[in-house]
Amino acid sequence: MSVSEHRAFVALGSNLDDPELQVRNGLACLDAISATRLVRASRLYRTPPWGILEQPAFVNAVAELATALAPHDLLAALQGIEDAAGRRRAERWGPRTLDLDLLSYDAERIHDGGLTLPHPQLAERAFVLVPLAELAPDLLLPNARTVVAQLAELDCAGIQALP
């Protein structure tokens, strides 16, 4: 990573319209963001629904990006990818074609009307921490615990790596 690049982690999730393909396409789109490159990605995982339980299982992954974009500009690019994938924000935690969540951006802490970093529910979501642990097991979460330490406290039942 060069001096002008920042390290960001993005969670990907889908449970509609061929979720595996949606997540794989999402990874390709992340790599195509201007001034950004995909450094690496976790495996894909099938995960049980979270929030609203009466919906199909999800496919989730996490990507590590190197970007010269500012955090709000990166978020706007992520939302553009979601929109292009047919994402509709009709129901919180409901089904979606593609969900891209900016989890962290360097060690920055931001809390304004448009963006909160690190992601506010990051430490509660095993479906994000399992793939994140592949890429950054020692990343410090807002609660000052590492990803792997926090993951040991969460219920990971039903989370399965895809072949």
Side-chain angles (χ1 to χ4, degrees):
M1 221 172 284
S2 73
V3 175
S4 63
E5 288 182 318
H6 302 275
R7 182 182 190 202
F9 289 97
V10 175
L12 301 91
S14 173
N15 71 339
L16 296 176
D17 301 338
D18 194 348
E20 283 186 58
L21 181 62
Q22 292 287 348
V23 171
R24 290 186 195 287
N25 287 343
L27 288 167
C29 289
L30 291 176
D31 199 34
I33 296 172
S34 176
T36 300
R37 65 185 167 82
L38 176 66
V39 174
R40 57 194 174 138
S42 72
R43 292 178 288 177
L44 273 57
Y45 290 85
R46 183 164 322 283
T47 64
W50 190 90
I52 296 174
L53 302 180
E54 299 299 320
Q55 61 180 318
F58 279 80
V59 172
N60 291 98
V62 169
E64 179 182 353
L65 304 178
T67 186
L69 296 178
H72 287 85
D73 295 332
L74 181 57
L75 178 64
L78 299 180
Q79 291 170 339
I81 293 168
E82 290 177 333
D83 292 345
R87 169 79 189 268
R88 303 293 170 255
R89 290 166 176 77
E91 184 176 24
R92 187 173 190 196
W93 299 320
R96 66 236 11 231
T97 52
L98 185 62
D99 184 32
L100 300 174
D101 286 335
L102 183 54
L103 302 175
S104 68
Y105 182 99
D106 291 338
E108 289 200 29
R109 294 193 181 277
I110 299 172
H111 186 71
D112 61 32
L115 178 61
T116 300
L117 286 176
H119 190 283
Q121 287 91 35
L122 177 58
E124 304 165 18
R125 296 180 170 176
F127 65 88
V128 173
L129 292 181
V130 168
L132 181 58
E134 284 185 38
L135 306 179
D138 297 324
L139 182 73
L140 280 179
L141 300 172
N143 62 6
R145 300 186 72 189
T146 65
V147 170
V148 291
Q150 183 66 28
L151 194 52
E153 302 296 318
L154 298 178
D155 179 5
C156 296
I159 298 176
Q160 300 174 319
L162 295 175

